Amino acid sequence: GGEVSGHPSERCSGSDSMDPREKNEGTLDTSVRLHMEGLQQSYDALQLEFQQQQELLERRNRKLQEVRNQIHAKDLQLSALRHEIRIKDALLSCLQDEERQHYEIEDFELQTLLEKALSPLTAILTRQMGTAGRGDQVVVQHGTPNLSAR
C-alpha cells in the first residue's frame, strides 16, 4: 500500500491553507509596515514643521537685526544732537560773555567821555562857586548843572 501518514493538515497541500504562525507573521509584518509608514509620515511632517520654524526664526533674527541697526542709528543721531547742543550752548555762552564785555566797555568809554566832557564844566563850576558868595547860585538837577542868578 499506498497509505498516507501524518497529520490531517499535512495532507492538504493547497495554497489556500496557511500555518496559523505564518498567518500571524504576515499580519504582524503588515502591522509593523503600516506603523513604520505612519512613523515615517510623522517624521516627514516634523521635518517640514522644523524647517518652517527654522525659516521663521531666521526671518525674525533678520528683523531683529534690522531693528537693532535702526536703534543704533538713532542712538548715533541722538549723540550727535547732544553734541551739537553742547557746542551751541558753549557758543551762546561765549556770545553772551562778549556782549556783556561789549556793554561794559561801552559803559566805561561812555563814563570816560562824560568825565572828559564834564571836566571843563567842573572847572567852570568851581570858579562859579567862588563867586557864589555874591548871589549867584549853582543848582545841579539830574546831573546837569543849572546856573541861575538871583
Side-chain angles (χ1 to χ4, degrees):
E3 221 180 311
V4 179
S5 67
H7 193 273
S9 65
E10 289 176 358
R11 281 186 245 150
C12 298
S13 63
S15 60
D16 296 1
S17 65
M18 277 188 150
D19 187 2
R21 284 183 298 179
E22 288 177 12
K23 193 173 188 180
N24 256 354
E25 285 176 10
T27 305
L28 186 62
D29 285 345
T30 303
S31 175
V32 168
R33 187 174 39 80
L34 289 174
H35 184 68
M36 288 298 290
E37 286 175 6
L39 287 175
Q40 185 63 43
Q41 288 174 352
S42 294
Y43 177 78
D44 292 343
L46 285 173
Q47 283 291 95
L48 181 62
E49 177 68 21
F50 176 78
Q51 186 178 14
Q52 290 171 346
Q53 292 297 322
Q54 196 72 19
E55 290 169 0
L56 178 63
L57 179 63
E58 288 172 8
R59 281 194 305 272
R60 287 183 176 173
N61 282 338
R62 282 191 301 271
K63 183 65 176 172
L64 181 61
Q65 188 59 43
E66 289 173 12
V67 170
R68 283 183 185 143
N69 291 341
Q70 289 173 352
I71 289 172
H72 182 69
K74 294 292 181 186
D75 188 40
L76 289 175
Q77 288 175 344
L78 185 60
S79 293
L81 287 173
R82 284 184 179 145
H83 178 71
E84 187 177 340
I85 288 170
R86 283 192 297 269
I87 295 295
K88 287 184 178 181
D89 280 346
L91 288 173
L92 182 60
S93 177
C94 287
L95 287 174
Q96 288 172 341
D97 290 345
E98 285 178 13
E99 190 70 19
R100 203 172 310 118
Q101 288 174 353
H102 179 72
Y103 282 122
E104 288 172 1
I105 289 171
E106 283 183 358
D107 286 347
F108 177 75
E109 289 174 352
L110 183 60
Q111 183 179 355
T112 304
L113 286 174
L114 282 174
E115 286 175 3
K116 285 180 182 179
L118 291 178
S119 179
L121 194 54
T122 306
I124 293 171
L125 287 175
T126 305
R127 278 184 296 202
Q128 293 286 333
M129 299 278 266
T131 60
R134 294 182 288 166
D136 291 340
Q137 186 178 14
V138 177
V139 178
V140 177
Q141 293 178 345
H142 302 292
T144 307
N146 185 4
L147 300 175
S148 61
R150 282 197 171 186

